Each structure stands twice: as structure tokens, then as C-alpha cells.
Amino acid sequence: MLKRFDLVTLSFQKLTPLCSLAFNLLRYATCGGSEGPKMEAENEWEKLLKPFDLEALRDSLNFLTPLRLCKLLQLPLDISTSIQLFHWAGSQKGYCHSFDVYYALVRKLGEAGEFSTIDQLLRQSKEEGIVLKERLFVGILRCYGKAGLPGAAVQLLDEMADVFNCKPTFRSYNVALDILIGANCHRIAADVFNAMVRRGVSPTTFTFAVVMKALCSINEVDAACSLLRGMARHGCVPDSVIYQTLIHALYMGNKAHEALKLLEEMFLMGCSPDVETFNDVIHGLCKLGHLREAAKLVDRMLLRGCSPNALTYGVLLHGLCRKGQVDEARTLLSKVPHLNVVLFNTVINGYLSEGKFIEAKDLYDRMVESGYQPDVYTYNIMMRGLCKTGNLGSAMQLLKEMEANGCMPNVISYTILIYGFCSDGMWQDANAIAEEMSAKGISLNTVIFNCLISSLCKDHELREAMELFEKMKRVGCKPDIFTFNSLICGLCKNGQMEEAFHLYENLFLEGVVANTVTYNTMIHAFLQAGKWQEAMQLTNDMVLNGCSLDIITYNGLLKALCKAGEVDKGLGMLEEMTKKGIRPTNISYNFLISGLCKTRRVHDALELLREMLDRGITPDIVTYNSLISGLCKMRWMRAALNLLEKLHAEGIAPDIVTYNILISCHCKANMLDDAYMLLNRAINGGIMPSALTWGIMVKNFTRESVLLMPEQ
């Protein structure tokens, strides 16, 4: 009895060789290669991959059924040939395309990215009354995802029910949501999920996992946690992936305790957290300083058979070092099963941050003895520690040791040394290190140039600083605002206001934006030089350029106003800064109180003191010295002495300035005995009289002696 494909072969004996080959392959593919003659590998395939001779096919075939067309479309034919076969088959009398035909052709077109042709086929299928199934759309959605077309995927999802009468299930939504997440369209993914629920489509656990990931990615962790609580309504149970996603998001949002609660729930639900999840919670607790809870969690981690990794121990060690518990960190280090140089570095850095160089060196030696080779980070933190303690020679020696051990210093190594020498005012040595660095082929960066320029400016070496600034630009290292601020500050302190202002004007040309420090430096310099108009113009420029006035700016202006006797304008400025939400400091009030007292407006000064106290701003000795001086000018001696007693009651220690004001005032009032008692009180209180104190006493007591001498 002849088999089905033998009958097919007999029916088409007049096929052209290519068509015959195609049907042989069709027979081979369907029968799994068990029937008929074997083809010769490459020659036959090469022939097959050439376009069909459709005219010969028309002459040879009586009728092409949908089943046979599906088999042909599954062959590795080019797109043009496949479409021609599809249209030719459709032109046969009595032939109707089936869903499987559309599915086979759409799948091939999708893999080739022919989406416009797919759209035409979908419209044609609708006209032909073909009932399209969901798996067709799922395939198209996946192709949209591979092509990076998330918008087209969402549009097709909407058209499935509205246009093609195919209601999408969770399968379609899951694919679409996965595509949106992959394209970072997190907000749209959340909207698609909400539309899915509104349409009555039940989500799966995978759906929830994808949407929660989307919400966490846009920092809507609370909304993601709310979804967790709503899973049960849809018959879904959270899995490890969901808990891990939420815990990581809570950790990133500095919500360690919420993450810990979710971890507890994860245990109750029978989900096993991985080491990364434990690390997230442990790290979060350590950041909050809750080291005891973090350590307990490590113990629970071990009980559950989850081995802590280097990161787990590293986080704990870092947390202990941050809290200053470096000895405890070293104890923990001794218990770590698999040590590495990073863990040693953490504890060494902890000791150095606490200024305990001897302990750091001891641990460093232990590390080397244990066979762990120091890396560039180890040497860098050791050099930073030496520089902080002023051991610059030892730091240089360590650099040489580093090179001798085959560990090449990097730009950070040299930056640490240069910064250390510059901080000590040793800019010549720092410059020598920079030259050595350049000789070794390591380019100087902006930080190094800034260190050198700042050091030169502090040492009033402005000419060398400007030369280095020009060199910086020549070698292609772009100056930043710190560079300009150092130079402007140095020039202002040196009285070179024109040069400083010229640099300020060139900021825009250099592509650098002035900041608050820039403006404050210039404003204060102009105010000290008595150039009030220029200072106010800079203040206006500061606001126009989007740089808000801060407390330093206002204090500088208040000082200048009070010095010029414009105290009322200063009081208006105090009100203005308060309205702008800038909280005045005791320095702000001290300028105004001093200004009021100098103009004998002591009552107003005392009112300002009350306002200062009402705002929770604590007066200091400068505040009280100004008030005592004002009271003395008004000859209100008793009130001045009462204020001195109030100082003691409030725990504020008077200084020699306080006593000088009172002694001078009593001397002017010819109350020398009281002045002498005040001097003794100061000395008995441990306050050493100054040259001014003795000058006041000698001048007034000598005058009194002269007046008492009998006439000759």
C-alpha cells in the first residue's frame, strides 16, 4: 500500500527539478528522514534556497493545500519567495488560507523584521474571516521586543481585542510587560498592568514580579509593596524573586528596617533568600549604625545554610570602622574563613581614620606576614595616614617601597603625597613630586594642579600660581571653579583686586560657572576695600546668575552696613534674609547689636537680643561684650555689672575684652576702686590681663596720683 507522500510524488511526476527537490525535502522533513532517498548535502540545499520557479510550479501542481503550503513556508526560503507562494496559493480556485498558514508566514516575517507586511497580513486575515489565536500575537510581540519596538508591542496589545477580536490573556500581557521592562519603559509597564487588571485579566506571579521590578526602578517602592499585599486576591503567592526585588529596592531607599521585616516574612513564606538579599539587609542596617542587628542576621544566615561571602564580612567590617569600633572589626577579621586584601584594607583604613597609625601598621605587617600582598589601595591608605599625621618623609619612603615590591603607584598615590606636602606649605617638595610623576608618564590631573595652585596662593606666591595656571591650560588640563576660586582668593588677599576681577570676568570664556564661594570672596574683598557699589553690583550679578545669597554673603553685607553706620539698612536685610528662609546666626546678630550699641541705641540692641533668644540662637561672649560696651557708653554702670553676673549664670565665661570694657568705663567715671576690684576679679578668675588692661590702669592711676600731689 502506497504511503501518503508516495501518492503525492506520483501525482506530480511532471514537476521541474527544483519543484521536485522542494517536495522531496517536504517529504523528508515530514517523515523525519526515514523514507525515500537521501539528498546530497550542500548541492541540494543550495538549489533549494534559490527562488522557486513559480511558473513551473503552476504548470506542475494541480492544487496546493494549506497543509502543504505550511510545510513549504517552514522551509528556509527567502521572504519574497514565501510571499509569492502565499499569494499564488490564495489565487487557486476553491482555496482558503488557514490560521496555520498565516501563523507560519507571520512568524517568518517577524523574524525578518517585516512588520509592515505583517500588518497587511493581519488586515487581510480579518477580511477573510480567519479567527486569529493568541499564540500568533504572542509571537509578533516577541519579535517587536527583539527589534526594540516596545511602543508597537503596546499598540498591538490594545488592538488584539478591539481590532482582531482576540482577547489577550496573561500570556500576552506577560510578554508585553517583559518587553517594556527590557526597554526601561517602567512607567508604561505599570500603566499596562493597571489596564490589564481593569479588563479583568488575572495576573500571574510572573506578572507581579515584572511590575514590581518596574515600580522599584522608578522609586515607587511603596506601590510595589502594596501590590505584594494584593497578590492573594488574584490567587498568587509571592516567590523568592519578588521578595528579593522588593528587599533590594528598600535597601537602596535606605529603608533597612522595612527590608528586614520583609525578610522575616520571606522566611515565613518558605522562600529562601540568597546571599545578595542577606547582604542588602545587612548593609542597610550597618549604614544606619545598627551593627548588633546586622551581626545577628549573619548568625541566622549561617543557621539557614547560606554562607556569608567576602562582601558580607566587608560590609560588617566597614560598619564597625565607621562607628569607631575598629578593635571589634579586627576581632571579626580574625574569624573570617577566607580572608583577602580588601578586608585587610577596610580595617587598616579604619585605624587610620581614627588616627591610630601604630595599630594600622601592625595590621599591615600581619597581612604581609600572612602572605597577602598589599595592593595599590593598601599603599594609598597607608600613605594618606602618614600624611595626616605629618609623617611626610615616611610617606615618601613607603612610595619607594611600593615601587620596589612591583606595585606601581597610580595618580591617586601621587595626589595623596602632593596634597600632604601642600597642606604643610611645602609647595616646592610637592612640585618636585609632580615633576617626578610627569617623568614617569603619569599625567597631572586637575586635583593636583589645584593643590599646587592653592598652596602657592596661601604662601602669597601669586606669580608662580599664575604661571602654573597657564601651564595647566597648555597641557590640556581644564581648570575648574576650585582653580579659579583659589586664584581669586589669593589675589584679593594680596590686594590685587583688578586682576581678581579680570579672572572673574574670564570665567564664562573658560566654560566655568561662578559659585557662591567665588561671589562671596569678591564681595567681601570689595567691602573691605570700601567699594560698596562694586560689592552690591556683584550681589545683583550673583542673584541674576542663579546663585542664591547664603548666610556668608549676608553676614558680609551686614558687617559692611554696620561699619558704615547704616544699621537700619542692616535690620532691613536681616528681615529680608529671614523671609528667604535663611536662618541668621549669632554672627549676624552680633554685627547688628554692635552697630546699635555704637550709635547709643542700647534699648534696640537689647530688643534684638530678646529676638535672638526667641529664635533659639545662643548669644556668645562677643554679643555680651557689645551690650556691656553699649551700657557703659550710656553710663549705666549697674546694668553693665548685672549683665556680667548674668554671664556667669548662663555659663558663658567672660574674657579679657569684657573686663577691659568695664575697667575702662569705671576709670573714666573716676571709680578707680571699682576698677581695681574688677582687675582682681579677672585675675582670680584665671584671666590674664593684657597690655591694654595695664595701659588703662597705669594711665588712670597715674593721673589720679598727679591730681592728689600737694602743690609746691
Side-chain angles (χ1 to χ4, degrees), residues 7 17 128 136 296 318 329 368 370 414 549 566 671 679 684:
L7 291 171
E128 292 179 3
L136 171 75
K296 285 180 180 177
H318 183 68
V368 175
S370 301
Y414 286 105
L549 276 67
E566 301 282 355
M671 300 169 67
L679 177 64
N684 292 333

Side-chain angles (χ1 to χ4, degrees), residues 345-416:
N345 288 346
T346 303
V347 184
I348 290 170
N349 191 46
Y351 274 126
L352 292 171
S353 299
E354 293 289 309
K356 297 179 178 179
F357 182 78
I358 295 171
E359 290 86 345
K361 181 67 168 64
D362 178 62
L363 186 58
Y364 170 81
D365 293 337
R366 289 283 298 276
M367 180 181 92
V368 175
E369 288 167 10
S370 301
Y372 296 97
Q373 191 65 29
D375 59 10
V376 68
Y377 183 77
T378 319
Y379 285 112
N380 285 349
I381 58 176
M382 289 293 290
M383 283 191 288
R384 185 182 288 113
L386 286 165
C387 289
K388 276 186 178 180
T389 54
N391 295 314
L392 300 174
S394 299
M396 285 297 297
Q397 187 61 40
L398 192 60
L399 180 76
K400 292 182 175 63
E401 181 186 318
M402 179 181 182
E403 292 174 310
N405 290 336
C407 184
M408 287 298 102
N410 58 15
V411 68
I412 297 171
S413 314
Y414 286 105
T415 304
I416 290 166

Side-chain angles (χ1 to χ4, degrees), residues 215-233:
L215 290 168
C216 291
S217 298
I218 54 176
N219 296 320
E220 292 191 10
V221 187
D222 292 337
C225 290
S226 297
L227 280 183
L228 177 69
R229 305 300 163 219
M231 286 182 71
R233 290 198 301 271

Side-chain angles (χ1 to χ4, degrees), residues 42 97 139 197 266 325-326 338 366 414 451 594 634 687:
E42 290 190 19
H97 287 307
V197 176
M266 191 176 181
Q325 299 176 4
V326 192
H338 303 292
R366 289 283 298 276
Y414 286 105
C451 286
S594 176
M634 300 296 291
I687 299 170

Side-chain angles (χ1 to χ4, degrees), residues 536-550:
M536 291 308 295
Q537 181 58 51
L538 267 178
T539 305
N540 293 333
D541 291 347
M542 185 176 179
V543 176
L544 286 171
N545 291 327
C547 199
S548 301
L549 276 67
D550 63 3

Side-chain angles (χ1 to χ4, degrees), residues 594-623:
S594 176
L596 288 166
C597 289
K598 283 176 182 176
T599 54
R600 305 175 72 85
R601 295 167 62 180
V602 181
H603 282 297
D604 293 334
L606 289 169
E607 283 297 321
L608 207 58
L609 175 66
R610 290 190 189 94
E611 179 187 313
M612 185 178 180
L613 291 167
D614 290 340
R615 287 186 172 177
I617 301 169
T618 306
D620 58 12
I621 190 59
V622 177
T623 319

Side-chain angles (χ1 to χ4, degrees), residues 631-646:
L631 290 166
C632 288
K633 280 182 181 177
M634 300 296 291
R635 293 286 191 267
W636 296 346
M637 318 296 283
R638 178 54 53 192
L641 289 170
N642 287 340
L643 201 55
L644 177 65
E645 298 302 328
K646 188 180 178 183

